[in-house]
Short mmCIF file of all heavy atoms in Angstrom, two decimals:
data_model
loop_
_atom_site.label_atom_id
_atom_site.label_comp_id
_atom_site.label_asym_id
_atom_site.label_seq_id
_atom_site.Cartn_x
_atom_site.Cartn_y
_atom_site.Cartn_z
N ARG A 1 -7.09 -12.25 10.57
CA ARG A 1 -6.60 -13.62 10.31
C ARG A 1 -6.60 -13.88 8.78
O ARG A 1 -7.15 -13.15 8.02
CB ARG A 1 -7.48 -14.67 10.99
CG ARG A 1 -7.63 -14.44 12.52
CD ARG A 1 -6.37 -14.84 13.27
NE ARG A 1 -6.18 -16.27 13.20
CZ ARG A 1 -6.76 -17.18 14.00
NH1 ARG A 1 -7.64 -16.83 14.92
NH2 ARG A 1 -6.49 -18.46 13.90
N ALA A 2 -5.95 -14.99 8.39
CA ALA A 2 -5.85 -15.35 6.98
C ALA A 2 -7.20 -15.76 6.45
O ALA A 2 -8.06 -16.25 7.18
CB ALA A 2 -4.83 -16.45 6.83
N SER A 3 -7.38 -15.62 5.14
CA SER A 3 -8.60 -16.09 4.46
C SER A 3 -8.70 -17.60 4.54
O SER A 3 -7.70 -18.28 4.60
CB SER A 3 -8.56 -15.63 2.97
OG SER A 3 -8.43 -14.25 2.85
N LYS A 4 -9.97 -18.09 4.56
CA LYS A 4 -10.16 -19.52 4.72
C LYS A 4 -11.25 -19.97 3.70
O LYS A 4 -12.08 -19.19 3.24
CB LYS A 4 -10.67 -19.84 6.13
CG LYS A 4 -9.59 -19.77 7.20
CD LYS A 4 -10.17 -20.26 8.49
CE LYS A 4 -9.08 -20.34 9.58
NZ LYS A 4 -9.55 -20.84 10.89
N PRO A 5 -11.20 -21.29 3.35
CA PRO A 5 -12.24 -21.84 2.46
C PRO A 5 -13.56 -21.85 3.20
O PRO A 5 -13.64 -22.29 4.35
CB PRO A 5 -11.72 -23.25 2.18
CG PRO A 5 -10.30 -23.27 2.54
CD PRO A 5 -10.11 -22.26 3.63
N ILE A 6 -14.62 -21.38 2.51
CA ILE A 6 -15.93 -21.23 3.10
C ILE A 6 -16.96 -21.95 2.26
O ILE A 6 -16.89 -21.95 1.02
CB ILE A 6 -16.33 -19.74 3.25
CG1 ILE A 6 -15.32 -18.99 4.09
CG2 ILE A 6 -17.74 -19.60 3.80
CD1 ILE A 6 -15.31 -19.40 5.57
N GLY A 7 -17.93 -22.62 2.94
CA GLY A 7 -19.10 -23.21 2.22
C GLY A 7 -18.73 -24.55 1.61
O GLY A 7 -17.60 -25.08 1.69
N ARG A 8 -19.75 -25.14 0.94
CA ARG A 8 -19.58 -26.47 0.32
C ARG A 8 -18.55 -26.46 -0.76
O ARG A 8 -17.83 -27.41 -0.95
CB ARG A 8 -20.92 -26.92 -0.26
CG ARG A 8 -21.95 -27.29 0.81
CD ARG A 8 -23.21 -27.83 0.16
NE ARG A 8 -24.18 -28.27 1.12
CZ ARG A 8 -25.38 -28.75 0.83
NH1 ARG A 8 -25.70 -28.93 -0.42
NH2 ARG A 8 -26.21 -29.13 1.79
N LYS A 9 -18.45 -25.31 -1.48
CA LYS A 9 -17.51 -25.29 -2.61
C LYS A 9 -16.10 -24.86 -2.15
O LYS A 9 -15.16 -24.75 -2.96
CB LYS A 9 -18.01 -24.27 -3.63
CG LYS A 9 -19.27 -24.74 -4.32
CD LYS A 9 -19.72 -23.80 -5.42
CE LYS A 9 -20.97 -24.29 -6.10
NZ LYS A 9 -21.45 -23.35 -7.18
N LYS A 10 -15.96 -24.58 -0.83
CA LYS A 10 -14.65 -24.26 -0.26
C LYS A 10 -13.98 -23.11 -0.99
O LYS A 10 -12.78 -23.16 -1.32
CB LYS A 10 -13.72 -25.51 -0.25
CG LYS A 10 -14.27 -26.67 0.51
CD LYS A 10 -14.47 -26.37 1.95
CE LYS A 10 -14.99 -27.59 2.75
NZ LYS A 10 -15.23 -27.25 4.18
N ILE A 11 -14.72 -22.04 -1.17
CA ILE A 11 -14.21 -20.86 -1.80
C ILE A 11 -13.41 -20.05 -0.75
O ILE A 11 -13.92 -19.68 0.28
CB ILE A 11 -15.30 -19.97 -2.41
CG1 ILE A 11 -16.06 -20.79 -3.45
CG2 ILE A 11 -14.76 -18.68 -2.98
CD1 ILE A 11 -17.32 -20.12 -4.00
N VAL A 12 -12.12 -19.74 -1.06
CA VAL A 12 -11.29 -19.00 -0.15
C VAL A 12 -11.81 -17.58 -0.05
O VAL A 12 -11.94 -16.86 -1.02
CB VAL A 12 -9.81 -18.98 -0.62
CG1 VAL A 12 -8.97 -18.15 0.27
CG2 VAL A 12 -9.25 -20.42 -0.70
N THR A 13 -12.17 -17.17 1.18
CA THR A 13 -12.90 -15.94 1.39
C THR A 13 -12.20 -15.12 2.46
O THR A 13 -11.85 -15.63 3.51
CB THR A 13 -14.34 -16.23 1.86
OG1 THR A 13 -14.95 -17.12 0.90
CG2 THR A 13 -15.16 -14.94 1.99
N PRO A 14 -11.97 -13.83 2.19
CA PRO A 14 -11.38 -12.96 3.26
C PRO A 14 -12.28 -12.87 4.50
O PRO A 14 -13.49 -13.05 4.41
CB PRO A 14 -11.32 -11.59 2.58
CG PRO A 14 -11.47 -11.82 1.10
CD PRO A 14 -12.31 -13.06 0.99
N THR A 15 -11.72 -12.69 5.68
CA THR A 15 -12.49 -12.49 6.87
C THR A 15 -13.45 -11.34 6.76
O THR A 15 -13.15 -10.37 5.99
CB THR A 15 -11.59 -12.33 8.10
OG1 THR A 15 -10.95 -11.03 8.03
CG2 THR A 15 -10.52 -13.39 8.20
N PRO A 16 -14.55 -11.32 7.45
CA PRO A 16 -15.44 -10.15 7.42
C PRO A 16 -14.73 -8.82 7.78
O PRO A 16 -15.01 -7.79 7.17
CB PRO A 16 -16.53 -10.51 8.47
CG PRO A 16 -16.61 -11.99 8.38
CD PRO A 16 -15.19 -12.46 8.19
N VAL A 17 -13.78 -8.87 8.73
CA VAL A 17 -13.06 -7.71 9.07
C VAL A 17 -12.16 -7.23 7.93
O VAL A 17 -12.08 -6.01 7.62
CB VAL A 17 -12.20 -7.93 10.34
CG1 VAL A 17 -11.12 -6.85 10.50
CG2 VAL A 17 -13.06 -7.97 11.55
N LYS A 18 -11.52 -8.13 7.21
CA LYS A 18 -10.70 -7.79 6.08
C LYS A 18 -11.55 -7.14 5.01
O LYS A 18 -11.12 -6.16 4.34
CB LYS A 18 -9.99 -9.00 5.52
CG LYS A 18 -9.08 -8.66 4.36
CD LYS A 18 -8.29 -9.86 3.82
CE LYS A 18 -7.41 -9.44 2.65
NZ LYS A 18 -6.66 -10.61 2.12
N GLN A 19 -12.76 -7.64 4.78
CA GLN A 19 -13.64 -7.11 3.78
C GLN A 19 -14.00 -5.63 4.07
O GLN A 19 -14.05 -4.78 3.18
CB GLN A 19 -14.89 -7.97 3.67
CG GLN A 19 -14.60 -9.36 3.07
CD GLN A 19 -15.87 -10.21 3.03
OE1 GLN A 19 -16.92 -9.78 2.63
NE2 GLN A 19 -15.71 -11.46 3.47
N VAL A 20 -14.28 -5.36 5.37
CA VAL A 20 -14.58 -3.94 5.74
C VAL A 20 -13.35 -3.07 5.55
O VAL A 20 -13.45 -1.94 5.02
CB VAL A 20 -15.06 -3.91 7.22
CG1 VAL A 20 -15.20 -2.43 7.66
CG2 VAL A 20 -16.41 -4.61 7.32
N ALA A 21 -12.17 -3.59 5.97
CA ALA A 21 -10.92 -2.81 5.75
C ALA A 21 -10.67 -2.51 4.31
O ALA A 21 -10.29 -1.39 3.94
CB ALA A 21 -9.78 -3.56 6.35
N GLN A 22 -10.91 -3.45 3.43
CA GLN A 22 -10.76 -3.30 2.02
C GLN A 22 -11.71 -2.22 1.49
O GLN A 22 -11.39 -1.42 0.64
CB GLN A 22 -10.91 -4.61 1.24
CG GLN A 22 -9.74 -5.57 1.49
CD GLN A 22 -10.01 -6.95 0.85
OE1 GLN A 22 -11.17 -7.40 0.83
NE2 GLN A 22 -8.98 -7.58 0.40
N LYS A 23 -12.95 -2.30 1.97
CA LYS A 23 -13.98 -1.35 1.56
C LYS A 23 -13.57 0.09 1.81
O LYS A 23 -13.83 0.97 0.98
CB LYS A 23 -15.31 -1.72 2.30
CG LYS A 23 -16.44 -0.73 2.07
CD LYS A 23 -17.70 -1.14 2.85
CE LYS A 23 -18.80 -0.20 2.72
NZ LYS A 23 -20.01 -0.59 3.54
N TYR A 24 -12.94 0.33 2.96
CA TYR A 24 -12.56 1.66 3.30
C TYR A 24 -11.05 1.97 3.06
O TYR A 24 -10.51 2.96 3.52
CB TYR A 24 -12.91 1.90 4.78
CG TYR A 24 -14.37 1.95 5.04
CD1 TYR A 24 -15.04 0.86 5.59
CD2 TYR A 24 -15.12 3.07 4.68
CE1 TYR A 24 -16.43 0.91 5.81
CE2 TYR A 24 -16.53 3.10 4.89
CZ TYR A 24 -17.13 2.03 5.46
OH TYR A 24 -18.50 2.05 5.66
N LYS A 25 -10.39 1.05 2.34
CA LYS A 25 -9.00 1.21 1.94
C LYS A 25 -8.05 1.40 3.13
O LYS A 25 -7.17 2.26 3.11
CB LYS A 25 -8.83 2.33 0.93
CG LYS A 25 -9.60 2.08 -0.37
CD LYS A 25 -9.48 3.24 -1.34
CE LYS A 25 -10.04 2.89 -2.72
NZ LYS A 25 -11.46 2.43 -2.68
N ILE A 26 -8.30 0.66 4.22
CA ILE A 26 -7.47 0.69 5.42
C ILE A 26 -6.33 -0.32 5.25
O ILE A 26 -6.61 -1.46 4.87
CB ILE A 26 -8.24 0.39 6.70
CG1 ILE A 26 -9.43 1.39 6.82
CG2 ILE A 26 -7.38 0.49 7.92
CD1 ILE A 26 -10.44 0.97 7.92
N PRO A 27 -5.08 0.03 5.52
CA PRO A 27 -3.98 -0.93 5.45
C PRO A 27 -4.27 -2.17 6.34
O PRO A 27 -4.85 -2.04 7.42
CB PRO A 27 -2.79 -0.18 5.94
CG PRO A 27 -3.13 1.25 5.68
CD PRO A 27 -4.58 1.38 5.86
N ILE A 28 -3.90 -3.33 5.83
CA ILE A 28 -4.21 -4.61 6.50
C ILE A 28 -2.92 -5.35 6.75
O ILE A 28 -2.05 -5.45 5.91
CB ILE A 28 -5.13 -5.46 5.61
CG1 ILE A 28 -6.46 -4.75 5.35
CG2 ILE A 28 -5.42 -6.84 6.23
CD1 ILE A 28 -7.30 -5.35 4.23
N SER A 29 -2.86 -6.00 7.93
CA SER A 29 -1.78 -6.91 8.27
C SER A 29 -2.37 -8.25 8.67
O SER A 29 -3.31 -8.32 9.40
CB SER A 29 -0.93 -6.35 9.45
OG SER A 29 0.09 -7.29 9.78
N ILE A 30 -1.77 -9.33 8.13
CA ILE A 30 -2.23 -10.67 8.41
C ILE A 30 -0.99 -11.48 8.93
O ILE A 30 -0.48 -12.31 8.17
CB ILE A 30 -2.87 -11.34 7.23
CG1 ILE A 30 -3.98 -10.50 6.64
CG2 ILE A 30 -3.47 -12.75 7.58
CD1 ILE A 30 -4.69 -11.03 5.42
N PRO A 31 -0.58 -11.23 10.17
CA PRO A 31 0.60 -11.91 10.66
C PRO A 31 0.34 -13.39 10.95
O PRO A 31 -0.74 -13.75 11.42
CB PRO A 31 0.92 -11.15 11.98
CG PRO A 31 -0.41 -10.62 12.42
CD PRO A 31 -1.18 -10.32 11.17
N ALA A 32 1.35 -14.23 10.69
CA ALA A 32 1.20 -15.68 10.98
C ALA A 32 1.16 -15.89 12.48
O ALA A 32 0.60 -16.84 12.98
CB ALA A 32 2.39 -16.41 10.32
N LYS A 33 1.86 -14.99 13.22
CA LYS A 33 1.84 -15.10 14.68
C LYS A 33 1.99 -13.70 15.26
O LYS A 33 2.42 -12.74 14.56
CB LYS A 33 3.01 -15.98 15.17
CG LYS A 33 4.36 -15.47 14.80
CD LYS A 33 5.48 -16.37 15.36
CE LYS A 33 6.88 -15.80 15.07
NZ LYS A 33 7.96 -16.63 15.69
N LEU A 34 1.60 -13.57 16.53
CA LEU A 34 1.71 -12.25 17.21
C LEU A 34 2.98 -12.21 18.14
O LEU A 34 3.62 -11.19 18.16
CB LEU A 34 0.50 -11.96 18.02
CG LEU A 34 -0.86 -11.83 17.25
CD1 LEU A 34 -2.02 -11.49 18.24
CD2 LEU A 34 -0.74 -10.79 16.17
N LYS A 35 3.19 -13.33 18.80
CA LYS A 35 4.32 -13.35 19.72
C LYS A 35 5.63 -13.51 18.96
O LYS A 35 5.74 -14.20 17.99
CB LYS A 35 4.16 -14.46 20.68
CG LYS A 35 5.08 -14.40 21.89
CD LYS A 35 4.71 -15.44 22.94
CE LYS A 35 5.62 -15.30 24.16
NZ LYS A 35 5.26 -16.30 25.22
N ASP A 36 6.66 -12.78 19.45
CA ASP A 36 8.01 -12.83 18.82
C ASP A 36 7.91 -12.52 17.32
O ASP A 36 8.43 -13.24 16.44
CB ASP A 36 8.63 -14.20 19.02
CG ASP A 36 8.82 -14.56 20.48
OD1 ASP A 36 9.14 -13.63 21.25
OD2 ASP A 36 8.62 -15.77 20.81
N ASN A 37 7.24 -11.39 17.01
CA ASN A 37 7.05 -10.97 15.65
C ASN A 37 7.62 -9.54 15.56
O ASN A 37 6.84 -8.55 15.66
CB ASN A 37 5.58 -10.99 15.24
CG ASN A 37 5.39 -10.70 13.75
OD1 ASN A 37 6.19 -10.04 13.13
ND2 ASN A 37 4.29 -11.23 13.21
N PRO A 38 8.94 -9.39 15.39
CA PRO A 38 9.57 -8.05 15.40
C PRO A 38 9.03 -7.15 14.29
O PRO A 38 8.93 -5.93 14.47
CB PRO A 38 11.04 -8.33 15.23
CG PRO A 38 11.11 -9.73 14.71
CD PRO A 38 9.97 -10.44 15.20
N GLU A 39 8.69 -7.74 13.14
CA GLU A 39 8.15 -6.91 12.04
C GLU A 39 6.84 -6.22 12.43
O GLU A 39 6.64 -5.04 12.17
CB GLU A 39 7.92 -7.78 10.83
CG GLU A 39 7.45 -7.02 9.60
CD GLU A 39 7.25 -7.91 8.40
OE1 GLU A 39 7.72 -9.06 8.39
OE2 GLU A 39 6.64 -7.44 7.43
N LEU A 40 5.89 -6.98 13.07
CA LEU A 40 4.66 -6.41 13.53
C LEU A 40 4.85 -5.38 14.60
O LEU A 40 4.23 -4.31 14.61
CB LEU A 40 3.71 -7.53 14.03
CG LEU A 40 2.38 -7.06 14.57
CD1 LEU A 40 1.57 -6.37 13.48
CD2 LEU A 40 1.59 -8.22 15.16
N ILE A 41 5.73 -5.69 15.54
CA ILE A 41 6.02 -4.74 16.63
C ILE A 41 6.56 -3.45 16.09
O ILE A 41 6.18 -2.32 16.52
CB ILE A 41 6.97 -5.35 17.66
CG1 ILE A 41 6.34 -6.60 18.34
CG2 ILE A 41 7.42 -4.33 18.72
CD1 ILE A 41 5.10 -6.29 19.11
N LEU A 42 7.46 -3.54 15.15
CA LEU A 42 8.05 -2.34 14.53
C LEU A 42 6.94 -1.53 13.84
O LEU A 42 6.90 -0.27 13.93
CB LEU A 42 9.15 -2.70 13.56
CG LEU A 42 9.89 -1.53 12.85
CD1 LEU A 42 10.53 -0.65 13.91
CD2 LEU A 42 10.93 -2.07 11.86
N LYS A 43 6.08 -2.21 13.15
CA LYS A 43 4.98 -1.52 12.46
C LYS A 43 4.06 -0.78 13.42
O LYS A 43 3.67 0.36 13.24
CB LYS A 43 4.18 -2.54 11.62
CG LYS A 43 3.09 -1.93 10.79
CD LYS A 43 2.32 -3.00 9.97
CE LYS A 43 3.24 -3.62 8.92
NZ LYS A 43 2.47 -4.53 8.00
N LEU A 44 3.75 -1.46 14.52
CA LEU A 44 2.91 -0.83 15.57
C LEU A 44 3.62 0.35 16.23
O LEU A 44 2.97 1.39 16.50
CB LEU A 44 2.48 -1.87 16.61
CG LEU A 44 1.57 -2.99 16.10
CD1 LEU A 44 1.37 -4.04 17.22
CD2 LEU A 44 0.22 -2.41 15.71
N LYS A 45 4.87 0.24 16.47
CA LYS A 45 5.65 1.35 17.07
C LYS A 45 5.69 2.55 16.13
O LYS A 45 5.60 3.70 16.58
CB LYS A 45 7.05 0.88 17.47
CG LYS A 45 7.09 -0.02 18.68
CD LYS A 45 8.52 -0.39 19.05
CE LYS A 45 8.56 -1.20 20.34
NZ LYS A 45 9.99 -1.58 20.70
N ASP A 46 5.83 2.26 14.83
CA ASP A 46 5.86 3.36 13.85
C ASP A 46 4.50 4.08 13.83
O ASP A 46 4.47 5.33 13.71
CB ASP A 46 6.17 2.83 12.47
CG ASP A 46 7.64 2.48 12.28
OD1 ASP A 46 8.47 2.90 13.14
OD2 ASP A 46 7.98 1.72 11.35
N ILE A 47 3.42 3.36 13.96
CA ILE A 47 2.09 3.96 13.98
C ILE A 47 1.88 4.72 15.28
O ILE A 47 1.25 5.80 15.31
CB ILE A 47 1.00 2.87 13.81
CG1 ILE A 47 1.07 2.29 12.40
CG2 ILE A 47 -0.38 3.40 14.12
CD1 ILE A 47 0.18 1.07 12.21
N ASP A 48 2.40 4.23 16.40
CA ASP A 48 2.26 4.82 17.73
C ASP A 48 0.79 5.07 18.09
O ASP A 48 0.36 6.24 18.23
CB ASP A 48 3.04 6.17 17.77
CG ASP A 48 3.16 6.75 19.18
OD1 ASP A 48 3.07 5.92 20.16
OD2 ASP A 48 3.29 7.96 19.30
#
């Protein structure tokens, strides 16, 4: 999911999952929606 403001100071922070993906240099996708998203579907089909 997209990064959100966290804590009293509302600092925009990546999700814990994104932080792990960044740590291991894994490609990341943050789609605005899952349904009717041909770009995401194409990406998943290419990965197979």
Side-chain angles (χ1 to χ4, degrees):
R1 305 285 294 275
S3 302
K4 287 187 175 181
I6 300 293
R8 289 184 178 181
K9 295 184 179 180
K10 301 298 180 183
I11 298 172
V12 177
T13 306
T15 69
V17 164
K18 182 178 180 180
Q19 292 177 46
V20 172
Q22 290 173 326
K23 176 181 176 180
Y24 292 102
K25 297 180 171 56
I26 303 171
I28 300 166
S29 177
I30 306 177
K33 62 177 183 176
L34 298 183
K35 194 171 183 179
D36 299 324
N37 187 334
E39 182 180 347
L40 177 62
I41 296 299
L42 182 61
K43 185 180 292 187
L44 292 173
K45 285 183 176 178
D46 286 343
I47 292 171
D48 191 25

